Amino acid sequence: MEFSDTYKHSGPCTFSPDSRFLAVAVDSRLVIRDVVSLKVVQLYSCVDKISHVEWAPDSEYLLCAIHKRSMVQAWSVSQPDWTCKIDEGSAGITHARWSPDSRHILTTSEFQLRLTVWSLVSTACVHVPWPKHSSRGVSFTRDGKFVAIATRRDCKDYMNLLSCQGWEAMGTFAVDTSDLADLEWSPTDSTIAVWDSPLEYKVLVYSPDGRCLFKYSAYDNALGVKVVMWSPCGQFLGVGSYDQVVRALNHLTWKPVAEFSHPVAVKGPMTTVVFKEIEEAWQVDMHTLSFADSPSDNRRRVRYNVADLPVTVPSQKPPPDKPNPKQGIGLLAWSADGQYICTRNDNMPTALWIWDVSHLELAALLLQKDPIRSVAWDPIHPRIALCTGTSQLYMWTPAGACCVHIPLPQFVVSEIKWNPDGTSLVLKDKEAFCCTFVPVISEFDPDTEGDELK
């Protein structure tokens, strides 16, 4: 694997949807780089430090949210002289996002007073009062024709459906939640999943006309749902909860077809491969000893060792007297083909569980030395990249796993993101980033890629 030089950043780093550009925020400047050469293509100056960057779905425009000034600035890649500025004044702005047509921007004001749809074509705007959340509670259909917005008034949660063509209201109906946490359209655009806050285990499935198709609750009188995610095909709804179990609900019966638990002692199945990260001294072959590789060489290397079952997963017990306990399924993500789910149990922060949905069993378990910081699936292939805040990049495929040393001085990876075409990754340190260009899946050999020095 090849790594680029490091470049400065102050927060957001995101690839364009067409995989051609990388947008990087550096204080008040927005730098657009070519993905292959990393040369600067465009440079824009905003009025203050950039809080959030988002590409339009057509990769033609970008928005920069400047929360300090309650302002949003939009830019065009192909037309450097074109610009747009949105100022909410005293209402403030806490979040901004694009609509699927790339010609409207949705902003949420402070204290969730209103959600505003701004048109870049006609300069008109539409207001939706009392949105439930600033960055959550808004979901578009896959075809971009409709949007569902969670609102709250008179101590009751509602769902507002709008047409994205003219932003007319299509309907509003109450949802049976005590404190709605989020909602999400299914990939087939036929149903909407809604789930309650962690204080109550409740997952509801609604049709677009407001009918509640199913209510699901796995247990009562305990902390409930923590994370929910649809499978790419829309046939399963993955629900992770505080009881350390992931449940996959079938889209036909809306009942669990599988429950994936995360025990401390993993005994099987026997097809499960356990990869345990180890650190060891670099072995020098005395027959090929060179001046650089002397017997006193104190270099170390990190690699995976395949452990035998059963294994014990390191676990932490959260303090009972503190809020927001680090317990339960904090990470749940589907592979692009929908065959695998990766999960992380927050009271087992060094373990990544990879489940084979087609066989309803644990396919692999990755045991790291340090807590896992970031995990990302390849958008094209069944391949995972993860980091633990060290100078190592870890990767897993159904063929195996590897540890790759990043040959950059004083660079530790705290966050990773894939390019949408799956050819490269951006690796973020606290104040710098680099890119690595990943071999295609047919050329990726975990045995050779993992042979790196630390």
Side-chain angles (χ1 to χ4, degrees):
M1 294 176 63
E2 298 179 357
F3 294 85
S4 71
D5 295 331
T6 58
Y7 302 90
K8 286 185 61 177
H9 78 83
S10 62
C13 298
T14 178
F15 288 104
S16 62
D18 64 3
S19 305
R20 295 176 55 203
F21 303 110
L22 177 65
V24 182
V26 185
D27 295 326
S28 62
R29 293 177 299 159
L30 179 65
V31 183
I32 310 300
R33 295 182 179 272
D34 180 82
V35 165
V36 177
S37 65
L38 292 180
K39 292 182 179 179
V40 176
V41 178
Q42 296 287 356
L43 180 64
Y44 307 102
S45 295
C46 296
V47 296
D48 213 320
K49 186 175 181 179
I50 300 170
S51 306
H52 172 68
V53 174
E54 183 176 319
W55 284 92
D58 65 357
S59 300
E60 170 64 22
Y61 300 97
L62 300 98
L63 68 79
C64 299
I66 307 164
H67 296 161
K68 188 176 180 180
R69 296 285 191 97
S70 300
M71 188 180 295
V72 173
Q73 290 186 262
W75 311 92
S76 170
V77 176
S78 62
Q79 307 174 55
D81 296 333
W82 182 94
T83 183
C84 171
K85 184 183 294 185
I86 298 172
D87 190 346
E88 275 278 26
S90 59
I93 292 178
T94 58
H95 189 71
R97 58 168 66 81
W98 286 100
S99 67
D101 65 357
S102 303
R103 297 300 179 267
H104 294 82
I105 295 176
L106 284 70
T107 63
T108 308
S109 66
E110 291 181 352
F111 308 108
Q112 287 78 57
L113 296 178
R114 68 188 184 192
L115 182 146
T116 307
V117 182
W118 306 84
S119 172
L120 303 185
V121 179
S122 63
T123 67
C125 62
V126 176
H127 298 294
V128 179
W130 312 118
K132 182 65 188 290
H133 303 287
S134 60
S135 60
R136 294 177 284 124
V138 177
S139 178
F140 293 92
T141 55
R142 187 68 63 90
D143 60 12
K145 293 182 178 179
F146 302 98
V147 59
I149 302 174
T151 60
R152 187 174 179 89
R153 64 178 186 273
D154 301 328
C155 301
K156 183 68 179 175
D157 293 328
Y158 293 86
M159 188 188 306
N160 295 33
L161 296 182
L162 281 73
S163 169
C164 296
Q165 184 68 29
W167 300 100
E168 303 94 353
M170 305 299 293
T172 301
F173 54 87
V175 293
D176 187 20
T177 54
S178 301
D179 184 12
L180 184 148
D182 207 350
L183 55 82
E184 187 73 30
W185 279 94
S186 69
T188 59
D189 297 340
S190 59
T191 55
I192 308 167
V194 178
W195 55 99
D196 219 327
S197 72
L199 296 179
E200 184 176 0
Y201 196 119
K202 186 183 290 186
V203 178
L204 306 105
V205 180
Y206 284 90
S207 63
D209 60 5
R211 290 178 295 119
C212 184
L213 303 178
F214 193 76
K215 297 180 182 180
Y216 178 73
S217 178
Y219 53 83
D220 298 318
N221 303 319
L223 291 175
V225 177
K226 197 168 185 179
V227 60
V228 177
M229 188 175 185
W230 286 99
S231 66
C233 61
Q235 295 182 354
F236 300 101
L237 182 65
V239 182
S241 49
Y242 278 88
D243 67 342
Q244 307 175 45
V245 177
V246 172
R247 296 169 176 87
L249 307 183
N250 188 306
H251 79 298
L252 298 176
T253 63
W254 299 113
K255 294 181 179 179
V257 295
E259 293 189 0
F260 302 124
S261 60
H262 298 68
V264 173
V266 179
K267 300 179 181 179
M270 298 309 296
T271 54
T272 300
V273 183
V274 179
F275 297 96
K276 187 174 183 179
E277 181 188 1
I278 61 172
E279 183 178 355
E280 62 185 8
W282 182 256
Q283 300 296 325
V284 179
D285 188 350
M286 299 302 294
H287 297 287
T288 59
L289 184 64
S290 65
F291 178 77
D293 294 329
S294 64
S296 61
D297 194 343
N298 60 357
R299 289 180 293 177
R300 314 277 294 177
R301 74 168 183 174
V302 172
R303 67 177 180 88
Y304 278 127
N305 182 47
V306 178
D308 296 327
L309 293 173
V311 296
T312 301
V313 181
S315 178
Q316 301 174 357
K317 188 175 181 180
D321 57 342
K322 292 186 178 180
N324 302 318
K326 291 186 177 180
Q327 177 178 325
I329 309 303
L331 169 71
L332 186 157
W334 295 81
S335 61
D337 59 3
Q339 183 176 350
Y340 298 96
I341 306 178
C342 73
T343 60
R344 185 195 63 218
N345 188 5
D346 283 349
N347 50 304
M348 301 174 180
T350 61
L352 183 69
W353 309 66
I354 302 170
W355 308 88
D356 187 339
V357 180
S358 60
H359 295 90
L360 302 179
E361 64 182 17
L362 183 63
L365 176 62
L366 275 58
L367 299 177
Q368 309 295 138
K369 293 193 308 174
D370 303 292
I372 297 170
R373 295 281 192 91
S374 181
V375 179
W377 279 102
D378 185 326
I380 307 297
H381 306 289
R383 173 168 54 183
I384 288 178
L386 64 145
C387 64
T388 61
T390 65
S391 60
Q392 305 290 328
L393 173 66
Y394 308 91
M395 304 195 75
W396 175 90
T397 71
C402 68
C403 310
V404 182
H405 176 64
I406 302 171
L408 299 172
Q410 298 180 341
F411 187 89
V412 295
V413 192
S414 58
E415 186 181 350
I416 54 180
K417 287 184 180 179
W418 282 95
N419 194 335
D421 64 3
T423 59
S424 58
L425 280 160
V426 61
L427 313 177
K428 291 177 61 178
D429 195 350
K430 186 177 181 180
E431 296 180 347
F433 78 92
C434 74
C435 287
T436 179
F437 304 95
V438 187
V440 296
I441 199 74
S442 59
E443 301 173 356
F444 185 78
D445 186 355
D447 292 333
T448 59
E449 293 292 340
D451 192 15
E452 297 285 348
L453 284 176
K454 181 181 178 183

